């Protein structure tokens, strides 16, 4: 059990701060370093999960974004999002269908933020895209990979606020590769097409055309394997 205290106005200090409290034997106590508090017992070997370096106020938090792409038996496939604005999910799925020529017309897609967090951070876009693609191809992402970046309607990955804070925190926690928009120190991920090619190159070659009908429980019906991104592909 946890509670969040956000400082919106502070006459005697900085605002936009975030405190995380958890229930202990003696009552609520402050979580001194909540950077990985919301990850819980995360299993990186599962498909459909991505690690995002989010920012709430000025505090960087590593959170897990989960997605499930499964065959739909409904006339209108279901789209559900928990912990973030579901309209963001609709926009990103439209971008993936247009820019990557994927067919989501016969699948239900569910997505959520792990740990009960609620985020309005546009920097979670890239991680959400990675989680959806991971579940679609049924391939796990690199175990220590971390994502952040905003995805626009052209499929380009744009910089987000507090980029240096996210990068420094990801380095401190030992995550690699870091997949984020380009900066002065790294080429970054320019587009969602580049992200797909780096992470799922083998799956794309072995899977049938995305425009054809789907079969089985795995929408992509791809061959077994793992993500293609190595530690140095996009890392800084």
């Amino acid at each position: 059990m946890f509670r969040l205290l956000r400082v919106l106005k502070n006459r005697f200090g900085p605002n936009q701060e975030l405190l995380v409290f958890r229930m202990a034997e003696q009552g609520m106590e402050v979580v001194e370093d909540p950077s990985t508090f919301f990850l819980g017992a995360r299993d990186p070997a599962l498909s459909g999960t991505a690690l995002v370096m989010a920012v709430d106020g000025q505090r960087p938090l590593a959170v897990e974004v989960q997605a499930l792409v499964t065959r739909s038996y409904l006339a209108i496939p279901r789209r559900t999002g928990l912990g973030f604005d579901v309209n963001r999910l609709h926009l990103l799925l439209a971008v993936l269908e247009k820019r990557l020529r994927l067919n989501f017309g016969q699948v239900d897609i569910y997505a959520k933020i792990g740990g009960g967090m609620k985020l309005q951070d546009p920097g979670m876009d890239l991680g959400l895209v990675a989680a959806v693609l991971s579940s679609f191809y049924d391939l796990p992402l690199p175990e220590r990979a971390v994502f952040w970046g905003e995805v626009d309607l052209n499929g380009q990955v744009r910089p987000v606020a507090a980029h240096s804070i996210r990068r420094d925190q990801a380095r401190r926690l030992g995550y690699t590769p870091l997949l984020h928009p380009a900066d002065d120190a790294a080429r970054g991920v320019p587009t969602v097409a580049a992200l797909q090619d780096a992470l799922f190159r083998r799956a794309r070659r072995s899977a049938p055309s995305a425009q054809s009908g789907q079969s089985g429980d795995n929408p992509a019906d791809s061959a077994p394997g793992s993500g293609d991104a190595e530690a140095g592909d996009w890392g800084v």
Side-chain angles (χ1 to χ4, degrees):
M1 178 179 179
F2 68 91
R3 291 290 185 270
L4 301 179
L5 176 63
R6 291 183 174 89
V7 180
L8 301 179
K9 182 177 181 181
N10 185 1
R11 186 174 301 175
F12 306 102
N15 56 11
Q16 300 299 322
E17 289 292 333
L18 176 73
L19 287 176
V20 181
F21 295 85
R22 64 182 171 189
M23 180 62 70
E25 293 183 359
Q26 304 300 322
M28 303 296 287
E29 63 179 20
V30 177
V31 177
E32 297 296 339
D33 186 6
S35 302
T36 59
F37 177 76
F38 298 99
L39 293 181
R42 177 175 180 264
D43 186 354
L46 299 177
S47 64
T49 69
L51 195 64
V52 173
M53 189 58 65
V55 169
D56 195 319
Q58 294 297 318
R59 186 178 293 276
L61 301 169
V63 298
E64 182 184 30
V65 176
Q66 304 171 353
L68 176 63
V69 181
T70 182
R71 184 176 179 180
S72 179
Y73 296 92
L74 303 175
I76 302 178
R78 181 171 296 177
R79 307 286 186 255
T80 302
L82 295 177
F84 63 95
D85 186 0
V86 71
N87 290 321
R88 182 179 300 276
L89 177 62
H90 294 312
L91 289 174
L92 293 177
L93 294 179
V95 171
L96 296 182
E97 286 196 308
K98 175 72 173 182
R99 303 303 172 187
L100 303 185
R101 295 186 172 89
L102 299 178
N103 181 9
F104 295 139
Q106 299 176 12
V107 293
D108 294 329
I109 300 179
Y110 308 89
K112 63 172 291 188
I113 306 295
M117 279 289 290
K118 294 184 178 181
L119 293 175
Q120 297 181 349
D121 181 8
M124 67 173 286
D125 283 1
L126 194 61
L128 182 55
V129 165
V132 169
L133 292 177
S134 173
S135 183
F136 181 78
Y137 292 117
D138 199 21
L139 293 175
L141 297 169
E143 180 176 352
R144 302 288 293 174
V146 65
F147 303 82
W148 69 88
E150 182 180 5
V151 176
D152 67 16
L153 296 183
N154 292 315
Q156 296 179 321
V157 181
R158 294 188 174 187
V160 290
H163 172 77
S164 60
I165 294 176
R166 301 174 201 254
R167 182 190 59 207
D168 294 345
Q169 182 73 336
R171 287 174 174 173
R172 185 181 74 84
L173 296 174
Y175 291 124
T176 182
L178 313 184
L179 295 103
H180 56 71
D183 59 16
D184 295 336
R187 58 186 176 133
V189 182
T191 64
V192 292
L195 179 74
Q196 181 197 40
D197 188 59
L199 296 176
F200 307 105
R201 189 179 304 122
R202 289 196 300 268
R204 291 177 59 206
R205 286 197 297 262
S206 59
S209 173
Q211 298 297 336
S212 63
Q214 312 297 339
S215 62
D217 294 330
N218 176 12
D221 203 21
S222 59
S226 60
D228 289 325
E230 300 295 339
D233 280 353
W234 306 100
V236 295

